[in-house]
Amino acid sequence: MAEENEVKLFGKWSYDDLEVSDIALIDYIGITGKQATYLPHTQGRYQKKRFRKALAPIVERVACSLMRKGRNSGKKMMAVRIIQHTLDIIHLSTDENPLQILVDAIINSGPREDSTRVGSAGVVRRQAVDCSPFRRVNQAIYLLTTGAREASFRNIKTISECLSDEIINAARGR
């Protein structure tokens, strides 16, 4: 009876044994509770309040990040299909749960330090500052999807193959 109630993404990938190794990012990588969904298409209104998008499922956030550059905007079903193919390729390449690989890739590819402009009266210099966990997750998703989009542009490889390469390499720390 427990298997009937288990939520699996696309009916294949279980959320049960996923773990976030970075304690700072646990609240911002949505893989538990209501964020465990069958499809990364919840139609939630996550932009209505500040920080509400942290409650969105992490796979859906990656799918929404794929809908960039004018010709792809609004095509969420296409983005969901790309994510499904990407997870299949990751599973075939690594023989592990692709959701865990995705979580590890987001943890590894987010910046830990950033710089800001400090100064007044025309004299400006850069000052190193720590990144917030929320910005680390946002930047990681952006960098992964942008890298895959640029790698697949004018290339014979599909975007699913390029995205799976980006995620696997980021998860391994390369």
Side-chain angles (χ1 to χ4, degrees):
M1 183 144 243
E3 293 179 12
E4 294 176 10
N5 296 333
E6 183 181 10
V7 177
K8 292 186 175 184
L9 183 68
F10 298 117
K12 298 178 186 178
W13 320 117
S14 175
Y15 288 94
D16 289 341
D17 53 348
L18 299 181
E19 60 181 38
V20 180
S21 60
D22 192 341
I23 195 168
L25 302 180
I26 289 175
D27 294 335
Y28 300 104
I29 296 180
I31 54 173
T32 59
K34 288 180 73 173
Q35 287 106 356
T37 57
Y38 293 101
L39 286 174
H41 198 314
T42 60
Q43 300 175 347
R45 298 184 303 178
Y46 298 111
Q47 303 298 323
K48 286 293 190 181
K49 278 190 174 178
R50 189 176 183 200
F51 295 114
R52 189 176 287 173
K53 71 178 175 182
L55 303 175
I58 195 70
V59 183
E60 182 172 7
R61 293 193 60 201
V62 174
C64 290
S65 183
L66 283 171
M67 296 189 303
R68 297 264 168 88
K69 296 288 187 189
R71 63 182 183 179
N72 295 327
S73 62
K75 299 180 182 177
K76 193 163 186 179
M77 293 305 298
M78 182 180 75
V80 168
R81 193 190 73 242
I82 290 169
I83 292 290
Q84 185 174 9
H85 292 320
T86 300
L87 295 178
D88 287 335
I89 293 169
I90 291 172
H91 178 69
L92 291 174
S93 300
T94 62
D95 287 332
E96 296 178 34
N97 189 347
L99 294 178
Q100 184 63 53
I101 302 287
L102 177 65
V103 168
D104 293 342
I106 289 172
I107 290 170
N108 290 343
S109 60
R112 288 168 180 78
E113 193 174 77
D114 204 353
S115 62
T116 186
R117 294 170 53 123
V118 175
S120 61
V123 179
V124 177
R125 63 186 189 91
R126 308 292 281 180
Q127 175 69 40
V129 292
D130 293 333
C131 268
S132 72
F134 193 47
R135 180 163 172 79
R136 280 180 62 190
V137 172
N138 293 343
Q139 282 286 101
I141 292 171
Y142 171 78
L143 292 171
L144 287 171
T145 56
T146 303
R149 185 181 308 110
E150 289 175 0
S152 67
F153 188 65
R154 296 188 184 197
N155 194 348
I156 197 165
K157 289 177 77 173
T158 65
I159 189 152
S160 301
E161 294 169 350
C162 292
L163 183 59
S164 65
D165 289 344
E166 288 279 335
I167 290 172
I168 290 170
N169 289 336
R172 290 179 180 160
R174 291 184 186 168

